[in-house]
Amino acid sequence: MLTHLAIRNIVLIEALDLEFRRGLGVLTGETGAGKSILLDALGLVLGNRADSGLVRAGEPKASVTATFEFANLPPAIAEALDDADIEIEPGEPLIVRRQLKADGGSKAFVNDQPVGVALLREFANALVELHGQHDDRGLVNPRGHRTLLDRYAGADSAAVSKAWRTWQDARARLEAAEAEIEQARADQDLLLAHLAELTALEPQAGEEARLDATRADMRKGERLAGDLEDLRQVWDGSDSPLAAMRVAARKLDRIGEEHPLLAEALASLDRAVIEAGEAEAKLQAAAEALVHDPAALDAAESRLFDLRALARKHDCQVDDLPETMRSMRAKLDAIEAGDAEIDALEEAAKEAAVAYRNAAEKLHADRLAAAERLDAAVAHELVPLKLDAARFRTQVELLDEDRWGAHGMDAVEFLIATNPGADFAPLGKIASGGELSRFILALKVALAEQGGAATVIFDEIDRGVGGAVASAIGERLARLASDGQLLAVTHSPQVAARGGTHYLIAKSSEGTVTRTSVGLLDAEGRQEEIARMLSGAEVTPEARAQADRLLEGV
């Protein structure tokens, strides 16, 4: 609930700190004293549009800070804070602050962490529920009627939402598979042609590098053929240098023992023969590797050209062609197996559709039953609120299948008829301001056990009524506030007398400076304010006595 509100430099409010309690709090004051300023200030921390005109004249900026405390943080707020990476320890208050500059622009903070205004709007409805003369949100907005009815019914709308997601996922998988197979069938002839072309060539992984190296070697062989032939002739034959060295080595071997130097010469010559033999072998191997075969070179170049052409055709690397072949075969296999897969997916989608329909039909029945109970409960509240000629109806309308969703198959809207014989119409379209507020109060009483915002505010719900009707309004406001927090801006002494706390809004002027202040009244102050509300400008003893009777009557 709202425990503290600090306002700085908002219109006529220079500095204001208010403490709030549980139960029913009433705010009273003369017309024009500034009650709307309080609501505008609170609206800022709830994410309303930042209007620089709210900044007090002559001040560079304004701010509003609202503190809320909860036994358990409402799920909607907890989820929003978690998404924004803002941590609040159990028992820690939620402090929302909004700064507004006179030259435009604003900043928002939650527990001193900067946030976007969108976050404030996201959990505003869980913090404060405001019902005013021209309010188009809350109970007036039909977008929330279905949720309110489901809460009242205690219906398992989550099961319908889960069944809807399951059905939609199954449909999406079926549609994706059908589209894939349809596309594959359309491409089947082309796939077969491409696969035949690839199969005929039968590309191998790493083949491009090997062909490129072979082609390069053969081109080198063509260029080096003359030099290699000259070298071959140098080493071949009985009169080659290597043959002469071998002859010398044999002769030296016979006389090597005759002198140590001859033995050393033989060892050196043997090493030279071995090195020369190795060189001869390597030259032979190089000649074989660099052999120039025009037909083989042409074949290598032709295959390399074909492989690269296919790679360009399929927009891939040459080494990826084997994988491209496998992918094409898999697509062709999928076409053959596609019918069985489609049958299985169709069956899954049908089962999901049946499960959703069953859950949605049960929810529909629960809503119809709850609508009757809610209509009776609201009708019971209308007579004391001087709306005995009016009728209330919860309309539960089956939607066409193309409008079904996670919410089920119904549209729900609260309708009223204010006069006998009149047609039912949306809640916010045919009721006057006072009637609308009383309808909302009747609904709130009927829905009292279904929860809602932490703080509920009624702005001049008693406008245009008095006497017994005002007393009935006050009694119902007090009942609603018995286990929560409700604030009522009122001009009715009967409503004001019901308040557990009473705040007086007053405006004062000093020269050209005008200020609005708000004070918490004690028992004597409450008597005087209620007496003023009863008598007008001059408070009479009779008015004070009547005020005492009102206060004693509650």
Side-chain angles (χ1 to χ4, degrees):
M1 68 174 186
L2 176 65
T3 57
H4 183 81
L5 184 65
I7 303 174
R8 300 291 184 269
N9 299 320
I10 296 289
V11 193
L12 300 179
I13 299 176
E14 188 173 25
L16 181 63
D17 290 276
L18 287 175
E19 301 292 335
F20 295 96
R21 306 169 188 169
R22 293 181 64 84
L24 176 60
V26 295
L27 296 95
T28 66
E30 295 183 357
T31 301
K35 294 185 288 293
S36 63
I37 299 175
L38 278 177
L39 299 181
D40 288 341
L42 188 58
L44 283 175
V45 296
L46 299 177
N48 288 358
R49 186 178 67 86
D51 182 359
S52 59
L54 292 174
V55 180
R56 181 176 171 83
E59 298 294 337
K61 63 181 180 179
S63 70
V64 181
T65 303
T67 302
F68 298 86
E69 296 184 17
F70 306 92
N72 295 295
L73 202 62
I77 298 176
E79 290 174 9
L81 294 177
D82 185 58
D83 291 341
D85 291 329
I86 297 176
E87 294 184 4
I88 293 184
E89 297 296 329
E92 183 182 359
L94 176 70
I95 303 173
V96 184
R97 178 163 53 96
R98 187 89 178 271
Q99 290 182 345
L100 179 62
K101 293 183 178 180
D103 57 359
S106 70
K107 295 180 180 179
F109 303 85
V110 172
N111 287 38
D112 289 328
Q113 297 188 50
V115 298
V117 176
L119 178 64
L120 306 187
R121 297 192 191 101
E122 189 172 344
F123 54 59
N125 289 336
L127 290 175
V128 176
E129 184 178 323
L130 174 63
H131 301 290
Q133 292 289 309
H134 306 289
D135 186 31
D136 60 354
R137 299 175 299 174
L139 296 180
V140 178
N141 192 332
R143 284 180 294 183
H145 293 176
R146 185 166 46 216
T147 300
L148 287 170
L149 181 62
D150 287 348
R151 288 179 184 168
Y152 184 77
D156 190 6
S157 56
V160 174
S161 178
K162 181 180 179 181
W164 169 261
R165 291 194 301 271
T166 301
W167 182 23
Q168 296 310 299
D169 289 345
R171 288 179 60 181
R173 288 194 296 271
L174 174 60
E175 290 171 0
E178 287 176 336
E180 184 177 348
I181 289 176
E182 182 180 353
Q183 183 63 45
R185 283 178 177 151
D187 296 340
Q188 188 172 18
D189 290 342
L190 185 60
L191 277 172
L192 287 169
H194 285 168
L195 187 57
E197 189 176 33
L198 284 165
T199 302
L201 197 60
E202 201 64 38
Q204 303 296 320
E207 187 176 11
E208 182 183 26
R210 291 194 300 273
L211 285 171
D212 212 19
T214 299
R215 183 182 63 170
D217 285 345
M218 284 192 287
R219 284 179 172 174
K220 290 177 183 175
E222 182 181 16
R223 188 179 70 252
L224 300 174
D227 293 333
L228 289 172
E229 178 60 25
D230 291 343
L231 286 169
R232 187 187 63 79
Q233 292 180 3
V234 168
W235 291 99
D236 281 352
S238 57
D239 56 349
S240 67
L242 180 56
M245 290 174 65
R246 286 171 177 160
V247 171
R250 286 194 296 270
K251 290 181 179 180
L252 190 56
D253 183 54
R254 291 195 297 269
I255 62 173
E257 295 178 357
E258 300 298 328
H259 194 281
L261 289 176
L262 292 176
E264 292 177 8
L266 176 61
S268 297
L269 188 57
D270 283 341
R271 289 195 298 273
V273 170
I274 292 170
E275 292 288 339
E278 290 179 356
E280 181 183 35
K282 289 178 180 178
L283 282 171
Q284 181 63 31
E288 291 174 358
L290 296 172
V291 66
H292 171 54
D293 183 346
L297 176 60
D298 185 63
E301 289 182 334
S302 178
R303 182 165 178 80
L304 196 56
F305 176 83
D306 290 342
L307 287 170
R308 288 174 174 172
L310 275 180
R312 288 193 298 272
K313 185 174 184 177
H314 295 289
D315 193 24
C316 67
Q317 300 297 317
V318 171
D319 282 347
D320 295 332
L321 286 174
E323 180 58 35
T324 301
M325 289 177 63
R326 286 190 289 272
S327 176
M328 289 180 180
R329 290 192 181 106
K331 288 180 180 179
L332 289 168
D333 291 342
I335 294 173
E336 295 178 4
D339 290 339
E341 181 186 4
I342 293 297
D343 288 344
L345 290 173
E346 282 180 345
E347 185 62 27
K350 286 178 182 178
E351 291 177 0
V354 170
Y356 169 77
R357 184 185 289 272
N358 290 339
E361 286 177 348
K362 182 181 182 304
L363 180 59
H364 174 70
D366 291 343
R367 285 169 174 167
L368 288 175
E372 290 185 8
R373 298 196 305 273
L374 180 60
D375 292 352
V378 173
H380 178 73
E381 296 294 331
L382 294 180
V383 175
L385 296 174
K386 203 176 179 181
L387 293 169
D388 45 303
R391 291 167 296 151
F392 174 86
R393 176 190 293 170
T394 305
Q395 178 178 274
V396 180
E397 179 186 4
L398 273 173
L399 298 170
D400 293 335
E401 186 171 343
D402 60 353
R403 295 177 62 193
W404 293 357
H407 50 73
M409 52 178 62
D410 306 310
V412 176
E413 186 169 8
F414 299 146
L415 305 176
I416 59 171
T418 55
N419 299 304
D423 292 333
F424 282 92
L427 191 61
K429 290 190 176 179
I430 65 171
S432 65
E435 287 176 329
L436 178 59
S437 295
R438 281 178 280 155
F439 265 113
I440 290 173
L441 179 57
L443 259 175
K444 285 295 295 183
V445 171
L447 295 167
E449 296 182 358
Q450 308 312 313
T455 300
V456 179
I457 300 176
F458 279 94
D459 181 19
E460 300 186 3
I461 189 175
D462 47 24
R463 181 185 291 271
V465 301
V469 177
S471 294
I473 290 174
E475 188 272 331
R476 280 155 178 77
L477 290 175
R479 195 195 315 169
L480 281 175
S482 62
D483 59 351
Q485 183 185 57
L486 191 149
L487 301 174
V489 178
T490 180
H491 289 287
S492 168
Q494 290 88 348
V495 173
R498 289 279 182 175
T501 52
H502 192 151
Y503 303 88
L504 176 63
I505 304 173
K507 184 167 65 175
S508 61
S509 298
E510 295 180 9
T512 59
V513 179
T514 302
R515 295 182 177 87
T516 289
S517 61
V518 182
L520 178 63
L521 298 179
D522 56 16
E524 183 178 349
R526 289 193 69 193
Q527 180 213 43
E528 192 70 11
E529 171 61 8
I530 292 174
R532 180 199 65 77
M533 297 171 73
L534 287 164
S535 64
E538 183 179 351
V539 179
T540 64
E542 292 79 5
R544 291 189 178 94
Q546 189 175 354
D548 285 339
R549 288 193 292 273
L550 283 176
L551 290 167
E552 290 170 0
V554 301

